[in-house]
Structures are given as structure tokens and as C-alpha cells.
Amino acid sequence: MEYSIQSLEPSLAALRICFSYSEPTKKKCFFPHEWPFKNHLHILHATHLKHPCLRNKPQNPFCVRSFTLERRMALKAVHVSDVPNLDQVQENAALPLFSSRLIPQCVNIEESDDTERGFKFGRFVVMGHRGSGMNMLQSCDRRMKSIKENSILSFNSASKLPLDFIEFDVQVTKDDCPVIFHDNFILTEHKGELIEKRVTDLTLDEFRSYGPQNEVGSEGKSLFRKTKDGRIFEWKVEEDAPFCTLQEVFQKVDDTMGFNVELKFDDSIIYKEEELKHILQVILQVAFEHAKERPVIFSSFQPDAALLMRKLQSTYPVFFLTNGGSEIYTDVRRNSLDEAVKICTEGGLQGIVSEVKAVFRNPGAVTRIKEARLSLITYGQLK
């Protein structure tokens, strides 16, 4: 049975949790209430998790919330540096779990005559969100503004941790260069006025003109960021870094570090198939030329992009991203875990990346995901 928990945070310290069995007697499954790092909690291959039920209210930061899980599993927390191997959790461990780096052979597509969906991770897998953590400029937590997200600096900082994969966002510029950037728009200030430009409308040189520059003494355009509620913050972090391309990431990041490449598309745009195909082929060309033996998976919230990426190649697994219904879209394929299972099975995708609360709202979907031979990764906050 495969159970994995992934926890990622913007600092160098990390907490993870793991499953352990208690067959003879009934025990509760404990989940920490106040995580020092609670921004990115992930579950991978939690295909036996069923019907969690919140019972106790926490009384202090060291209290726990207890859940009853089928098979009487117990969750324990651990500092990553304290456990030598994710596969070995000692019975008396107070806090257990750590992942050693995957070797490329641990990530593959299982050979099968009747399906190509048999993607398997060789062990527990931990992924770094946008490298060593996302930037949340509105947060009072300095760790949210420690290292520039989606940068070579962030990726290499993450590679020093016991992580297996880093996740990052790829878009393609106007002149067909895949670059690493999360938001649809870049904001800068000119003569006291905020200017907003779509990333995919910029050339590579224009994209590189923002923020810190590689050339000593050169200063780029100022950067700002807009939150979902419309607030705008100057994009300043303690350790800043220039923007980078997908090719540079393949070339400059530890080649044993796996990549979860999120294919970014604007939800407000309806893309034609030929347009999607061109964008994906540009990204694939870089991967084919520079990935070498590096473990790589692709993922996307855009259903057609995920399906097309699967049709265009069979080298790398493709996962469908979904928030499982926490937001409603006109495209019904994006509105539930059951729809995600359907799109994966019909399109031959290897797995689902789901917002974690969607799994707890619909725990029965985990069984259906397992029966469909799909992998499950989760992201998001449990609070």
C-alpha cells in the first residue's frame, strides 16, 4: 500500500506526516493543528484514505485534530532531517518522515499491454512548490518573502532539501520561448502609473527586462503583484533573482531533481487546438532536448492542454489539475474529482493533482481514483 504525505514550505526546515498502522487496537489518526509551515500540504498516492471525520477542537498549538480512518491508520509528524528513509518509519518515532532523492528509474510509465496509465513513483515523493516556496507578499510571515519563487535560486535552494521534485509554472512568450512565471500578467510602474502586460504578449527580451538582471550593475523594471482580491504589492523578497527560461532550469538545476512542469493557461481565454498544440510543442522541444534522464511530469488545469499533451507524446506522464469544485467553471470537467477521473481515464492521463479539501469533501473519489489506476497528488491548506 502506498501512502505519502508531502509538505512544502518557504523555509529550509520542513515538516512531513506519514501513515502508520495499528491493526490490533483502534487508534485515532492524528493531524497536527498548528504547523510551523502550513501553506503547501500535499498527499501523493493516498489511495486508501477514507471517510475522515473531524472530532476534537484544538486547545493550543500542540494539540491535534483527530480523525477516524479506515484500517486504523495513525498519522505522525516528523522533521525531515530526523528520518533517514521515507519507507522506514520506526514504531516509536515521535515525529517520523523523510524522502531520499528519487533516481530517474523510480519514475516511469509501467509497461502494460492494455493501458499506458500505470505511472508509479518508486517511493514517497515530496514536491517543492515553485521551488522552495511561493511568494505571498501580503503575508506578515517573512518566509513568504524569503526567496524569489520560480527562479533558479529558488530551485537550487530546494534541491538542497530532501525533495524529489520541484513544481514550477511554464508559459510561452510571443517569440516562442518557454519561460518560468506563474501569473498571467506582469505589473510594473512607469511615471507613477501601474502598467500591466500579459506574459504571453512579451518577447523573451521584454520578459527579461523586469526585475533583477544577470548583468552586474544593470537594473530592470520594478515589479508589482496583484492578489486575487485586487490588492497590489511591490514584489520585494530577501533573496531576489532574475527570471529564467525552461531551458535554463533544465541546464542549471541539479539533474537528479524531478520536475513537475505546470502548463499555465489563462482561464479567461478560449484556446483553439492549433494554438494549444503550438505552445505545447515548443515546451516539449525543450524537454526532449534538455531533460535527459531527469524525471519529468506535466500537469495543467486546462483540460484540453492536458489531453493534447498526452496525445503529443508518451515519454512523460501527464496529470490533470483540479480544485475539485471549490470554484465553479463553465467547463464542467473542472468542477469535481469525479469529472477529473473521467477526463483522465478517457484521455489516458496518468493522474490527478487535486486541491486537498476536495479530497476530504469527497473521500469516496479516492477509491475511484485507485480503481482507475490513477495517481493522486494534492496541494493546498487543510485549515
Side-chain angles (χ1 to χ4, degrees), residues 3-23:
Y3 297 93
S4 307
I5 295 292
Q6 311 169 5
S7 172
L8 179 69
E9 67 306 309
S11 82
L12 293 181
L15 283 178
R16 313 211 183 120
I17 57 179
C18 69
F19 293 114
S20 63
Y21 284 103
S22 175
E23 295 293 352

Side-chain angles (χ1 to χ4, degrees), residues 89-185:
V89 181
Q90 298 177 3
E91 183 64 27
N92 60 351
L95 282 168
L97 201 43
F98 173 123
S99 171
S100 57
R101 185 69 50 79
L102 282 176
I103 58 173
Q105 289 80 1
C106 288
V107 179
N108 54 61
I109 297 176
E110 183 182 81
E111 294 182 4
S112 173
D113 294 333
D114 59 349
T115 181
E116 292 183 291
R117 289 202 308 275
F119 176 76
K120 294 195 302 182
F121 291 96
R123 58 175 66 236
F124 289 100
V125 171
V126 181
M127 297 186 178
H129 189 214
R130 305 185 200 177
S132 58
M134 66 184 291
N135 296 151
M136 294 179 64
L137 306 176
Q138 72 274 26
S139 174
C140 59
D141 189 337
R142 63 184 292 270
R143 293 168 301 186
M144 300 296 184
K145 296 168 276 191
S146 176
I147 302 176
K148 184 68 153 288
E149 69 175 37
N150 276 334
S151 66
I152 299 292
L153 176 62
S154 182
F155 301 153
N156 281 329
S157 296
S159 71
K160 297 174 183 177
L161 297 171
L163 305 178
D164 305 301
F165 278 75
I166 52 174
E167 180 270 355
F168 53 82
D169 310 279
V170 173
Q171 302 184 59
V172 175
T173 62
K174 185 179 180 180
D175 52 349
D176 287 344
C177 182
V179 295
I180 314 302
F181 195 77
H182 176 271
D183 302 345
N184 294 320
F185 293 89

Side-chain angles (χ1 to χ4, degrees), residues 281-297:
Q281 286 176 328
V282 169
I283 294 170
L284 274 173
Q285 182 177 352
V286 174
F288 287 147
E289 290 179 2
H290 300 283
K292 299 179 181 177
E293 297 302 314
R294 185 190 301 273
V296 175
I297 66 175

Side-chain angles (χ1 to χ4, degrees), residues 364-376:
V366 178
T367 299
R368 294 187 284 278
I369 291 170
K370 177 175 182 279
E371 290 172 347
R373 299 182 64 195
L374 299 170
S375 298
L376 173 64

Side-chain angles (χ1 to χ4, degrees), residues 349-363:
L349 306 187
Q350 281 78 28
I352 296 169
V353 183
S354 172
E355 196 276 331
V356 67
K357 291 179 183 177
V359 176
F360 283 87
R361 287 195 303 268
N362 185 10

Side-chain angles (χ1 to χ4, degrees), residues 28-31 33 53-59 63-68:
K28 293 177 181 177
C29 173
F30 294 100
F31 209 77
H33 165 51
C53 176
L54 182 63
R55 289 187 171 186
N56 299 333
K57 292 183 179 180
Q59 301 299 318
C63 283
V64 296
R65 292 176 175 177
S66 63
F67 299 83
T68 298

